[in-house]
Amino acid sequence: MELNSMTHNKLKEIITQRGEKGFRAEQIFRYFHQQDGQGIMEMGQVPLSLREELSSSYTVNNIKILHKFKSESDGTIKYLFLLPDDNIIESVVMGYAHGYSQCISTQVGCKMGCSFCASTKDGLVRNLTAAEMANQIYEAEKDLGVRISNVVLMGSGEPLDNYENVVDFFDIINSKLGRNISLRSITLSTCGIIPGIYKLAQENIPITLSISLHSPFDEKRAEIMPIAKKYCLKDLMEALRHYSDTTNRRITFEYTLIKGTNDGEEEAKEIARLLNGMLAHVNLIPLNPIREYNEGRPDKNHVLKFQSMLKKLGVATTIRREMGSDISASCGQLRRSVLEEK
Ligand code: SF4
């Protein structure tokens, strides 16, 4: 087990079980999550005997920057990180007027099979540990000399398919002994794993939940996202209403607009019906084509037309700003091209 994947409470448990004082757990947690420590034997404040004991039972996960790409057009930065087992993941940092936001990966690859997504083309390789999620932020911060204030779990992977590690990551990144990033500044994006949504509703973690909708019709949605065959929209909407009622948090619906596929008036009307009376808003994403799915990119007027249809129907809607298109910033594209080169 990785020492830097443990929450402060978990660390306290294993430290006190060894007959040590609880404050040692605080020292160790701060060392990894505040001071960017890299190794157990390097924890100078901790007695040598405890360091030796810990290093015989636990490991530390460190990741490295493999490549860094900067968009000429908007300054978006994309990292490829090398994991200890030589797997590669992506992460994107975007600068906004209110600070820096980072989109992190939660798995190596993904098994969900969404048709427009490059991350899933080779399936799921493995889950990321909590430390691997946090380290994407620490490495980017160190490299850029900035603080990340917003985190989006929308890189490669389905976060609710790696539930326990993701929840531990929230605990770690939000801890006052670490980066202390507000949970309200964290967004978890899911393709709609219903049991995970119910479980998350009980956790009392005030993150923003974001759902990949992409079509308000089951059949069409299943063509774009195979997971929709397992979880139909009726059950998904029930789970989301439960989530929103329990947490009182507004839900974001991500809608990748694909010209000629999901951009008609009947879609707009059905979205309005599904979201009626719910604390929700729709984020329109003009399709960013990948090689395997290279059709249907809508032009600006097209996107504005769909937005205006939704607005007339009373649906709060935003259009996602396109970031880093010159550096293949959308999900999984860069990792995949590097793997192919290899
Ligand atoms: S969009 Fe997300 S859930 Fe779907 S395949 Fe890609 S990484 Fe997985």
Side-chain angles (χ1 to χ4, degrees):
M1 169 122 200
E2 294 166 356
L3 208 55
N4 54 343
S5 278
M6 291 181 196
T7 63
H8 176 237
N9 277 345
K10 178 73 190 165
L11 262 178
K12 208 165 167 180
E13 194 185 306
I14 66 146
I15 292 295
T16 50
Q17 270 168 5
R18 286 180 147 74
E20 298 281 345
K21 294 266 185 327
F23 79 90
R24 292 283 176 217
E26 187 174 323
Q27 275 181 336
I28 296 170
F29 190 92
R30 280 187 197 276
Y31 170 76
F32 288 118
H33 302 291
Q34 218 165 50
Q35 298 149 16
D36 297 341
Q38 303 279 305
I40 297 175
M41 292 312 289
E42 287 79 44
M43 298 190 291
Q45 298 155 305
V46 177
L48 184 61
S49 56
L50 179 56
R51 280 184 269 158
E52 282 173 346
E53 226 183 283
L54 291 172
S55 59
S56 66
S57 311
Y58 301 103
T59 56
V60 173
N61 187 294
N62 294 311
I63 70 173
K64 286 192 206 118
I65 298 173
L66 183 65
H67 288 294
K68 175 184 172 185
F69 305 84
K70 187 169 181 184
S71 163
E72 294 300 325
S73 53
D74 56 30
T76 296
I77 291 167
K78 181 148 203 168
Y79 290 102
L80 282 184
F81 289 116
L82 183 66
L83 307 182
D85 61 358
D86 285 346
N87 273 304
I88 298 170
I89 49 165
E90 302 183 13
S91 203
V92 181
V93 177
M94 294 149 287
Y96 293 98
H98 56 267
Y100 286 88
S101 177
Q102 186 167 0
C103 174
I104 64 164
S105 293
T106 54
Q107 295 180 312
V108 181
C110 182
K111 67 179 181 205
M112 296 299 152
C114 303
S115 57
F116 52 83
C117 174
S119 294
T120 195
K121 299 299 169 201
D122 300 313
L124 173 67
V125 179
R126 68 169 176 86
N127 285 334
L128 294 190
T129 63
E132 284 170 327
M133 292 178 232
N135 281 339
Q136 293 172 60
I137 297 170
Y138 306 162
E139 288 302 315
E141 285 188 337
K142 255 191 290 176
D143 181 57
L144 299 172
V146 301
R147 280 286 179 223
I148 300 293
S149 51
N150 286 68
V151 180
V152 187
L153 279 64
M154 207 187 265
S156 71
E158 162 53 60
L160 296 182
D161 190 41
N162 183 14
Y163 190 90
E164 306 301 334
N165 291 348
V166 163
V167 169
D168 281 354
F169 162 73
F170 289 153
D171 192 307
I172 289 170
I173 209 70
N174 174 243
S175 172
K176 289 193 171 53
L177 304 174
R179 289 306 205 262
N180 194 15
I181 295 179
S182 161
L183 292 169
R184 290 178 186 275
S185 304
I186 298 178
T187 300
L188 181 154
S189 172
T190 173
C191 62
I193 310 283
I194 292 179
I197 295 170
Y198 280 110
K199 221 164 146 189
L200 200 59
Q202 305 316 314
E203 301 272 3
N204 199 16
I205 306 175
I207 53 150
T208 299
L209 186 62
S210 168
I211 303 294
S212 301
L213 184 62
H214 307 322
S215 172
F217 300 113
D218 275 318
E219 214 174 303
K220 204 179 270 181
R221 189 163 180 264
E223 279 170 24
I224 306 171
M225 313 170 63
I227 192 72
K229 289 180 198 145
K230 187 167 180 188
Y231 301 119
C232 70
L233 276 165
K234 184 178 160 287
D235 294 346
L236 178 60
M237 294 311 294
E238 210 174 293
L240 293 173
R241 280 181 197 279
H242 171 80
Y243 184 88
S244 162
D245 291 347
T246 312
T247 62
N248 213 19
R249 301 283 295 159
R250 184 173 81 157
I251 292 175
T252 300
F253 287 86
E254 305 287 345
Y255 198 87
T256 298
L257 206 62
I258 310 169
K259 196 173 173 181
T261 299
N262 63 356
D263 55 349
E265 201 177 337
E266 51 170 6
E267 268 91 4
K269 282 185 180 154
E270 187 60 13
I271 293 173
R273 195 189 66 79
L274 286 178
L275 272 53
N276 186 25
M278 188 175 185
L279 215 50
H281 110 280
V282 174
N283 193 19
L284 294 177
I285 310 158
L287 176 74
N288 197 351
I290 60 170
R291 199 174 18 169
E292 297 82 351
Y293 198 90
N294 199 14
E295 281 158 25
R297 179 167 177 76
D299 59 33
K300 202 174 167 195
N301 287 339
H302 216 88
V303 181
L304 289 173
K305 192 175 155 206
F306 194 70
Q307 182 184 35
S308 117
M309 278 192 252
L310 286 174
K311 279 192 170 165
K312 276 188 199 138
L313 292 161
V315 180
T317 312
T318 47
I319 298 174
R320 187 190 298 166
R321 220 171 100 203
E322 195 182 343
M323 305 287 277
S325 56
D326 56 331
I327 52 163
S328 303
S330 70
C331 187
Q333 276 176 292
L334 204 55
R335 168 179 173 265
R336 193 161 159 75
S337 47
V338 169
L339 288 181
E340 276 174 7
E341 263 173 43
K342 271 178 135 188

